[in-house]
């Protein structure tokens, strides 16, 4: 059955932590895991969290919403069901399937990494957090997600959702655009994830940020962390997290030419090192 974005289903029952670890797993984490067990969304990559499918989904989810990613993911893994299938594909076929999803460097890096893995690592993704970051297109967050969800490694993920949840929960004043905001939160979460199921813990935090601890109008009465949330206690959920203004987006005037001769149209392929590299366009450029 095809998964529908936004539907909620009881997929797993979160067992209490084992006695040897219960002393270091805080109550809020137990509540978070229980909430996730009952309220996680049914998503196609969760039904079969193989390393390849987790990798594809995490790359697609970079700066892109779940609802947008879901149909692209399903088409992509149907066309390229294995890492070797992706490596053997022509880059233009990969880019065509990616069309409309944006940030095309992600598709090029996926293809490049797949070929490297087939040539150098017998077609297998590494499970190691640091080794994953050596692959094209994989940074620390994506490496943590793959290592934890696909391989069960206790590496906390720190993305925008996680930063928002815990900067509110602990009332952290650090600007989340600063690198140390991620580093500090990574260090705070590391001992917690050691005491429970890494895939469930990381996905629970991200799910909470997506469904409950939203950027605007968070659903605090239904949040499993509400009892200990300092931002909620102090009425500061609209003030946190602290986030400085982004750099001004540059604007350029672009001119293009449409050249038609004998029923044929002139188009050019963008250089690979350009934005939207490898795609086709009418000739032109900045004025």
């Amino acid at each position: 059955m095809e998964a529908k974005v936004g539907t909620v289903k009881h997929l797993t029952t979160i067992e209490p932590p084992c006695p040897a670890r219960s002393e270091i797993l805080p109550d809020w984490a137990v509540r978070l895991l229980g909430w996730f067990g009952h309220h996680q969304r049914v998503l196609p990559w969760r039904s079969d969290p193989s390393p390849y499918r987790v990798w594809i989904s995490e790359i697609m989810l970079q700066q892109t919403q779940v609802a947008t990613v879901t149909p692209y993911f399903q088409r992509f893994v149907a066309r390229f069901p294995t890492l070797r299938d992706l490596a053997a594909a022509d880059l233009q076929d990969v880019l065509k399937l990616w069309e409309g999803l944006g940030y095309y460097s992600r598709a090029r890096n996926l293809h490049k990494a797949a070929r490297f893995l087939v040539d150098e690592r017998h077609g297998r993704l590494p499970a190691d957090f640091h080794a994953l970051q050596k692959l094209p297109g994989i940074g620390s967050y994506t490496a943590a997600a793959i290592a934890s969800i696909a391989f069960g490694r206790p590496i906390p993920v720190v993305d925008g959702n996680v930063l928002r949840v815990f900067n509110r929960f602990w009332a952290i004043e650090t600007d989340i655009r600063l690198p140390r905001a991620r580093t500090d939160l990574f260090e705070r979460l590391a001992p917690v994830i050691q005491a429970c199921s890494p895939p469930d813990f990381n996905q629970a935090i991200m799910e909470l940020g997506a469904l409950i601890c939203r950027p605007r109008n968070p659903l605090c009465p239904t949040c499993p962390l509400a009892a200990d949330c300092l931002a909620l206690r102090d009425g500061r959920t609209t003030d946190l997290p602290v986030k400085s203004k982004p750099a001004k987006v540059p604007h350029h005037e672009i001119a293009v030419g449409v050249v038609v001769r004998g029923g044929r149209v002139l188009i050019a392929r963008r250089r690979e090192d350009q934005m939207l590299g490898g795609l086709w366009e009418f000739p032109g450029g900045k004025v």
Side-chain angles (χ1 to χ4, degrees):
M1 179 180 294
E2 181 177 329
K4 295 182 179 179
V5 176
T7 59
V8 175
K9 182 180 180 182
H10 179 81
L11 294 182
T12 59
T13 299
I14 303 299
E15 299 292 340
C18 64
R21 296 183 175 184
S22 61
E23 293 183 359
I24 60 174
L25 188 63
D27 290 342
W28 63 260
V30 176
R31 297 195 303 270
L32 174 66
L33 291 170
W35 172 85
F36 180 67
H38 289 280
H39 298 289
Q40 61 180 292
R41 288 171 292 182
V42 178
L43 301 173
W45 46 89
R46 285 181 178 162
S47 62
D48 177 15
S50 67
Y52 175 69
R53 289 168 66 89
V54 171
W55 173 40
I56 299 300
S57 67
E58 289 299 333
I59 296 297
M60 287 187 169
L61 287 165
Q62 292 173 356
Q63 303 183 64
T64 311
Q65 294 183 348
V66 166
T68 301
V69 165
T70 298
Y72 278 91
F73 173 84
Q74 292 171 321
R75 288 193 294 268
F76 197 91
V77 296
R79 176 67 177 81
F80 309 118
T82 70
L83 191 152
R84 290 184 180 276
D85 292 322
L86 176 58
D90 184 271
L91 176 59
Q92 291 303 307
D93 291 339
V94 176
L95 290 172
K96 181 63 178 177
L97 205 58
W98 200 274
E99 195 172 71
L101 193 57
Y103 300 103
Y104 288 88
S105 62
R106 295 181 296 174
R108 293 196 300 274
N109 283 331
L110 270 174
H111 188 252
K112 185 177 180 180
R115 291 196 164 179
F116 170 81
L117 291 169
V118 167
D119 292 340
E120 305 293 335
R121 295 188 61 94
H122 308 290
R124 295 183 178 182
L125 276 163
D128 180 73
F129 173 61
H130 300 288
L132 282 165
Q133 293 181 67
K134 295 179 181 180
L135 296 175
I138 298 183
S140 59
Y141 160 73
T142 304
I146 296 170
S148 63
I149 298 170
F151 298 105
R153 299 296 176 90
I155 309 294
V157 297
V158 182
D159 71 344
N161 281 327
V162 178
L163 283 164
R164 183 169 61 256
V165 168
F166 285 105
N167 275 248
R168 285 172 174 169
F169 183 68
W170 283 314
I172 299 172
E173 301 284 348
T174 306
D175 182 351
I176 63 173
R177 292 192 187 277
L178 299 177
R180 66 185 178 91
R182 295 178 181 268
T183 301
D184 292 347
L185 199 53
F186 184 96
E187 293 175 353
R188 284 201 190 205
L189 295 174
V192 182
I193 197 173
Q194 294 279 349
C196 57
S197 164
D200 289 335
F201 182 76
N202 277 339
Q203 291 184 93
I205 301 171
M206 294 187 286
E207 198 80 330
L208 189 72
L211 300 180
I212 303 296
C213 195
R214 305 179 300 190
R216 297 179 180 84
N217 303 314
L219 305 177
C220 297
T222 63
C223 179
L225 306 188
D228 302 301
C229 180
L230 298 183
L232 179 60
R233 183 197 68 184
D234 299 337
R236 302 189 62 206
T237 56
T238 58
D239 301 327
L240 296 171
V242 175
K243 187 176 183 179
S244 58
K245 293 183 178 180
K248 187 177 179 180
V249 177
H251 291 270
H252 304 284
E253 290 190 10
I254 304 295
V256 298
V258 180
V259 182
V260 182
R261 177 181 296 174
R264 304 174 70 187
V265 180
L266 176 64
I267 58 174
R269 186 178 175 187
R270 295 178 66 87
R271 297 196 315 270
E272 294 293 340
D273 59 351
Q274 287 182 294
M275 180 181 293
L276 305 179
L279 302 186
W280 296 86
E281 64 181 357
F282 294 120
K286 297 177 184 177
V287 176

